[in-house]
Amino acid sequence: MDLSTLNDKQKEAVEWPDGPILVLAGAGSGKTRVLTTKLAYLVNEEGVNPYNILAITFTNKAAKEMKERAFKMLGSDAYKMQISTFHSLGLLLIRENYDKLGFDKNFTILDSDDSLTIIKKILKDMNLDPKVYNPRAIRNKISSAKNELMDSNYYSRFANSEYEEIVLSVFRKYEQKVLKNNSMDFDDLLLLPIKLFKKYPDVLEKYQDRFKYILVDEYQDTNEAQYILIKMLSKKYKNICVVGDLDQSIYGFRGANFRNILNFEKDYPDAKVIPLEENYRSTGNILNVANDIIKHNKQRKEKNLWTKNDNGPKIRYHRAYDEKDEANYVMEEIKKLIISGEPKSSIAVLYRTNAQSRNMEETLLRENIPYKVVGSFYFYNRKEIKDLISYLKLIYNSNDDVSLMRIINVPKRQIGPKTIENLATKALDKGVSLYEAIDSGKELEFKKLIERIKKESENISLTELVELILTETGMRKELESSKTLEAEVRLENLEEFKSITKNFEENNGVISLEEFLLEISLVSDMEEHKNNNDVVTLMTIHSAKGLEFDHVFIIGLEEGLFPHSNCLDSPDEIEEERRLCYVAVTRAKKTLMLVNAARRMLYGNTNCNPPSRFIAEISDEYLEKDEKEEKAHFNKEEMIDKTAEYSVGDHVIHDTYGEGVVVALGSVLSIAFSHPYGIKKIMKGHKSIRKV
């Protein structure tokens, strides 16, 4: 078998004979190539029966790619191997032993929605309010427990609060219900095989004899259940080859335990460790930066990426004035790349949180540079943002039937499709809008809520109005109670919407819901270049893992943003943030730009954050620094005079509307101007107005 295209370390990993082997595969070091070549080598050179080989990946996509590569090298023998995800393997083991686990042959697999439906029914039967005991949060707790190999009996040891006691009760009823229905959920696909092997050692030995050679990809991402399953299967022959990179372990929030790869040599004392350090992706300077950053982690295995590629240009570091200046700077650099002939698809902008995409999106739209947002919707197309805008539209125009239909049951108010259908019939019969047709039931409570918010909106700013909607409608409470990562991201996006209102207020001075809705509609309705493949990519760093781009911009490199404020008090979480930065840096092939802002409005608040500690960890010899912090076109705070005081009856002059009289006070001023302007709401203290 020809291995001449492999480097020495890759070749060593492929040719290593029986026994445990840990391949520490650095970013861009060709790990997939090593794995698939080793599969072929075992069959062609070592004479291993392909039926005795198990290869495990984390995604269906990765499993498919491995099968295709194996087929090219082995032909039909590739199909005799078990190449699958962890969950597919679990399903195979259950299918072949369902009776021993207490199931009938025709058992069913519950998806996440099915599980949620069962939990909702249990809560209803227990007379528990789903707004207090969020079904998704409880489902996630049960799922996390199962992935830590806990059943309800074991979980009872940790139920030391009223809330946890409720979760425990639901957990027990859930287990009973699922078993009674001859079904299992996604987490059971890992939990049940482990139970099977513990109860029936002979069954375990059967599969140990079948899977004499085991290969595992992305070992640093394994959770407790996956780790135990592999450990049990490999115990007899110990022919286990795991490939991974501790420095790219970034899924701790999903239950991944990086210590599994860290402890591999403890689990297998005679293990051979082979580092793959030669990188085929990036320039020397990019790798130097990556090495500088990651070496500050204490919990890692020593490894130093290097390349035969040129050093390439230095990594550029720019400190912008604020988030808009940051977006403008990146946009100008992107334009330079495009003008020089670089495809747009070779450019990526990476960020720590989803909410950061907004400024980049708006800037690229303004310049008509096509882009795509990977792993998320375009900011204005995100469900929670559309819901919030629908509330604003309904407050502005109660006859907006489309907006009302969207939010009348958001959050859930027990207003179902039948009620809405009856309401639509009533509105049609009377020849009025849906809003006008409301006169009873839960719908009337919703109408009263809108009326109350509308009344309060008369003397408050747009930002305060958004806050009022989030609080009074229950949108924020619903997301906070969910306690899921998805809910957390949605809440961040809603908070980021306040940055939009605040910018509008500070830039314009005038508080006009009509003008604001008009402005955001112009942005949200712009062409999104959906059918264009040659587009700039915007994505979170988590979404970027496994990908590569010629030109990478990492934005928002500030303390509190990256590393994230939620992680600052935990050394373990800081190390995961540093690994995340390492992943971001190693996505770049040719050029890398690190960008941050001296001041940033995020979630409606302006903060002055110091540069990320990750910048300071990079040697100056690899950086081209631009830290002038040039001022933006104007200082927003200079637009507001916080000492300005007004009373009803005060005469003022406005730069646009001329003379007027203050007629109402609040966080905003209501000022009556001459025809044709009428009454306008103006930010209190805005420099566009002054007393006469």
Side-chain angles (χ1 to χ4, degrees), residues 144-177:
S144 295
K146 285 185 167 189
N147 283 319
E148 292 294 318
L149 303 180
M150 296 186 205
D151 58 14
S152 59
N153 287 333
Y154 196 91
Y155 187 80
S156 64
R157 303 180 192 183
F158 305 94
N160 50 15
S161 68
E162 184 184 349
Y163 181 80
E164 290 294 345
E165 286 288 347
I166 294 292
V167 173
L168 175 61
S169 296
V170 175
F171 195 170
R172 282 173 172 157
K173 292 177 187 294
Y174 177 78
E175 283 179 327
Q176 293 165 5
K177 185 77 171 173

Side-chain angles (χ1 to χ4, degrees), residues 415-423:
I415 303 174
K418 187 67 180 172
T419 303
I420 295 170
E421 188 183 324
N422 292 338
L423 182 62

